[in-house]
Amino acid sequence: MSDNTTPGSAGSKEEEAYTIHPASPAEDHKHKKSFLSTYIFSTDHKMIAKQYLVTGMIWAIIGALFSVLFRLQLGYPDASFPWLESILGHWAKGGRISAEAFYAMITMHGTILIFFVLTAGLSGTFSNLLIPLQVGARDMASPFLNMLSYWFFFLSGIVMMSSLFVQTGPASGGWTAYPPLSALGDASIGSKIGMDLWLASMALFVVSQLLAGINYITTILNMRTRGMQMNRLPLTMWAFFFTAILGVLSFPVLLAGFILLLMDRHAGTSFYLSEIFIGGRILPNEGGSAILYQHLFWFLGHPEVYIVILPAMGIVSEVLAVQSRKPVFGYTAMVFSLFAIAMLSFLVWAHHMFVAGINPLLGSFFVLLTLLIAVPSAVKVFNWLATIWRGRLHFTPAAMFAIGFVSTFVSGGLTGIWLGNSTIDVYLHDTYFVIAHFHLVMGVSAVLGMFAGVYHWFPKMYGRFLNNTLGYIHFWITLMGAYVIFWPMHYEGMAGMPRRYYDFSNWQSFKQFGTLNEVISLAAIVVFAVQLLFVLNFFYSIFKGRKLTTLNPWKANTLEWTTPIHPEHGNWPGEIPVVYRWAYDYGKNGEEFIPQTIPPMPGEKDIT
């Protein structure tokens, strides 16, 4: 076997592990591809993963920049910044962001980060990159649909971006787009064409996610290589599998809600509207209920939390096991906890609606289910800690971000116990306590998990390493900055400070937080700046980073490290490897690691 198909650190053992899946004649035939077919309209899952990653990074910069701008208003409500007017024009006359622009930025920040970055950017990148490689497939079940899923996402982004340049501005009704504000064009300036573009963009986004999710599920179920039983799948695959199922089942409900909202806006229907007055004028809408929209939105909205966090959980599980040089603790419990989280995520949506007038008895059921979902989450935390306990942990940037994920997931998740209690939630709802909770447990944690994945699999994507020194700087400033930003918000929320307010300086009770808000805003600027440092590291390393010289730099067991350093479309130039064992045989039989392609030794017990 040629050198470029054999992981250098496993020696001759791995040569025995390749099996009977021959390359097709079409794959043997080499032909030159055009630039468009290679880099733009590619059907290669690895290139599509790169497209998702770079697009997600662009959107992350835009979404984070919006947060920096509205934090300037919150931290320095009486100050003016003349340079803002040159950038934002009439949205920042005299150097002060207008109230309309402030609410538009909040709306776009939430929409972009939750959907375009943490859903498409995270899941789209690593599901595309790893699913065929880790299950042992040439590509996705449908490479063409896979390409279409990215281009629907890209088109969705174009429509969303265009809303930033219409005269009345982008949508400004919050990322949840609650009616009647979103259902009536005359409700505010941000409820006009910008809201239509927002809805059109989100509809295209849902199509993208459905195409992708069906592809992911089909590939994992039907295209595993010989020997890759479900109980031998890496935990990343289980996480991506359940994430795809959540998306396929919940996104259509959101799309239905958006269609009804568009009909209320333009077709004279009253699904969400009833007894509405605008400027003293009575609208003819009767019989609708804005609460119906909340049910439809949050039936997607809460599974969306786990659509965001489950891929990060899978990435962290893999990175911690590899870098600890230990078998992952409680593999079966980890899989069942993923399943429990996915199942329960469909049964807790109304805890977002405790103050919406739902029946208290019904609310008590949602309290129970909300608190119950903490159990499988706690199982995962325990297993992560047990995995690294007394392990020979290599503190690579990827490992640092994975440990940071566990930290923010725990500290942010604990406050969910407060908000899951309907009595306490009545007081804390729509305060800064909620912002602190979900940004730490979902936003920051998912971002840290995403960074762990980028640092870990960057050599597989580009054949080079990211700069470690810049990686450590990136980690420490990001983690500490995140805590400086969001931890104080818990105290502001407990004091009753409401979210989404443009200016708190007129409230005597909230003036005490003026200095604290300045600190939070400064921390947000610093954290944003260090993300730009990561972007610089990323693109510089693609071309000038330290070259990968061995197929398996982390000495991992999974199949992606058996492909060439620069794999072609089809991944393996010859036969696809056969799998003989699970993915976490570390420190066994006197070996530091035993790849999945190594047959069991005589008398060796298969842990799976």
Side-chain angles (χ1 to χ4, degrees), residues 293-338:
Y293 177 87
Q294 291 193 31
H295 280 289
L296 294 174
F297 182 89
W298 287 114
F299 189 81
L300 168 277
H302 202 79
E304 172 65 16
V305 171
Y306 296 100
I307 289 172
V308 165
I309 204 70
L310 285 183
M313 287 180 171
I315 290 169
V316 166
S317 300
E318 178 70 15
V319 170
L320 288 180
V322 171
Q323 300 301 341
S324 296
R325 319 309 299 157
K326 277 183 59 182
V328 68
F329 184 87
Y331 174 90
T332 303
M334 294 284 261
V335 172
F336 277 101
S337 64
L338 286 170

Side-chain angles (χ1 to χ4, degrees), residues 441-458:
V441 76
M442 184 189 76
V444 175
S445 296
V447 168
L448 294 178
M450 186 175 185
F451 283 136
V454 171
Y455 281 95
H456 187 75
W457 281 289
F458 187 89

